[in-house]
């Protein structure tokens, strides 16, 4: 907070390469960061700062030199969202993949569910793989049609069926580990997320939005390990029990959000969100995500005027 030399940054699309060159370019990026990154300050030992310091054109030229491959022009791509696909999805080869939701990626046996025991039981019969996702979930991958019923039974028995029971907002939410594990944390995140989402879902239901998905991310500090800058509703810890509130990122991960209110406790957060939820319910376009509505409605200009 307050350090202008640190900042969130979107990625740049710089070109296309064939699949066989993937590892060469990955190694080129890693070694370029190793050789040109700022090793004197942990705050600046990030690839984004290296790119900005070198300049994008110089950085791309360097990774092409190291990979000994010239990037082709970028090809058209479309991201519909940046999340996972909860539940069963069939692959091109007919095999099935089940994405199960894990709160903040935590696998535990507790009074609510026996997820750890459940995954062990699934591992005893599963002939495919387990894959972790960048959104803190788990994919039980490459399941045959014949094995789906047995895995579904174990998933339900051990409380791994959150993809069926939870709201869309809960399935999309992320939090960093924060307190008590991370020494950089200023506020709770992972341990606070379930409680926050209970009130968040209730607030949405009040305005007839229970079936809508609004992407929430909470971190204990501005380092942003749960990517709060790309959330429709982002909370970034400022002090114990207090957060800066950011709004307005898009669901595809192509637009950063904007600071809306500073240093809020939980009641103040929902006091700020409630009128926006009311406006969203009444003024949104068909299928318009909350982040896009906030951006289009210009609430930041209103907020800035109120602050002044």
């Amino acid at each position: 907070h307050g350090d202008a030399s640190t900042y969130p940054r979107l990625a740049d699309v710089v070109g296309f390469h064939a699949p066989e060159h993937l590892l060469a370019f990955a190694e080129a990026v890693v070694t370029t960061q190793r050789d040109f990154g700022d090793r004197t300050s942990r705050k600046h030992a990030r690839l984004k700062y290296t790119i900005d310091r070198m300049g994008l054109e110089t950085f791309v030229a360097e990774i092409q030199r190291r990979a000994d491959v010239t990037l082709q022009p970028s090809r058209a791509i479309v991201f519909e969202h940046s999340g996972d696909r909860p539940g069963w999805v069939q692959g091109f080869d007919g095999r099935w993949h089940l994405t199960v939701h894990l709160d903040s990626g935590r696998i535990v046996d507790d009074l609510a569910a026996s997820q750890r025991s459940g995954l062990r039981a699934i591992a005893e019969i599963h002939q495919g793989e387990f894959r972790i996702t960048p959104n803190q979930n788990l994919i039980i991958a490459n399941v045959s049609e014949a094995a789906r019923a047995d895995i579904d039974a174990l998933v339900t028995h051990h409380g791994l069926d959150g993809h069926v029971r939870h709201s869309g907002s809960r399935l999309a939410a992320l939090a960093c580990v924060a307190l008590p594990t991370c020494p950089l944390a200023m506020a709770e995140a992972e341990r606070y997320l379930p409680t926050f989402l209970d009130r968040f879902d209730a607030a949405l239901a009040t305005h007839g939005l229970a079936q809508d998905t609004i992407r929430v991310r909470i971190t204990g500090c501005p380092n942003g390990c749960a990517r709060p800058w790309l959330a429709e509703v982002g909370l970034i810890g400022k002090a114990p029990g207090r957060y800066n509130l950011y709004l307005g990122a898009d669901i595809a991960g192509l637009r950063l959000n904007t600071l809306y209110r500073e240093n809020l406790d939980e009641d103040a957060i929902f006091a700020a969100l409630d009128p926006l939820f009311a406006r969203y319910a009444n003024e949104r376009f068909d299928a318009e995500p909350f982040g896009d509505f906030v951006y289009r409605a210009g609430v930041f200009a209103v907020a800035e005027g109120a602050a002044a």
Side-chain angles (χ1 to χ4, degrees), residues 31-232:
T31 59
T32 300
Q33 170 65 11
R34 177 197 65 195
D35 296 341
F36 291 92
D38 183 353
R39 318 306 298 170
T40 64
S41 171
R42 181 179 179 182
K43 292 181 179 179
H44 298 114
R46 302 286 296 273
L47 181 64
K48 60 185 176 182
Y49 301 131
T50 304
I51 292 172
D52 287 349
R53 190 173 60 254
M54 294 177 64
L56 184 63
E57 184 176 339
T58 301
F59 181 86
V60 172
E62 180 64 20
I63 64 172
Q64 290 181 120
R65 184 188 69 80
R66 293 179 181 230
D68 197 24
V69 179
T70 300
L71 288 167
Q72 301 174 32
S74 302
R75 300 188 181 183
I77 53 174
V78 176
F79 288 104
E80 296 179 355
H81 62 85
S82 60
D84 294 332
R85 294 179 291 178
W88 287 104
V89 175
Q90 190 173 27
F92 67 91
D93 58 357
R95 308 284 284 184
W96 289 89
H97 311 273
L98 175 62
T99 301
V100 296
H101 174 71
L102 303 169
D103 285 339
S104 301
R106 188 69 66 180
I107 302 171
V108 296
D109 285 357
D110 56 23
L111 296 177
S114 53
Q115 295 182 340
R116 189 174 183 182
S117 297
L119 288 173
R120 283 177 172 163
I122 291 170
E124 291 178 358
I125 65 171
H126 181 39
Q127 300 300 309
E129 305 93 39
F130 292 93
R131 301 174 183 170
I132 57 175
T133 82
N135 295 301
Q136 302 176 335
N137 295 318
L138 182 73
I139 301 175
I140 305 170
N142 281 318
V143 178
S144 67
E145 181 70 43
R148 279 188 59 182
D150 290 338
I151 288 179
D152 262 335
L154 289 170
V155 163
T156 301
H157 178 72
H158 290 281
L160 287 160
D161 57 345
H163 58 283
V164 176
R165 296 181 287 105
H166 294 332
S167 69
S169 295
R170 189 173 294 267
L171 293 178
L174 298 177
C176 71
V177 64
L179 300 172
T181 303
C182 179
L184 300 177
M186 305 176 191
E188 292 280 358
E190 177 187 328
R191 296 190 298 188
Y192 177 49
L193 182 65
T195 302
F196 180 84
L197 288 173
D198 287 342
R199 188 167 177 180
F200 191 84
D201 283 343
L204 292 181
T206 298
H207 297 285
L209 299 170
Q211 301 305 312
D212 289 75
T213 296
I214 298 179
R215 289 151 183 82
V216 176
R217 295 178 181 178
I218 304 176
T219 60
C221 82
N223 286 279
C225 292
R227 309 189 298 281
W229 317 98
L230 290 170
E232 293 178 281

Side-chain angles (χ1 to χ4, degrees), residues 13-25:
V13 178
V14 297
F16 173 87
H17 64 72
E20 60 266 26
H21 298 139
L22 173 61
L23 292 181
F25 273 108

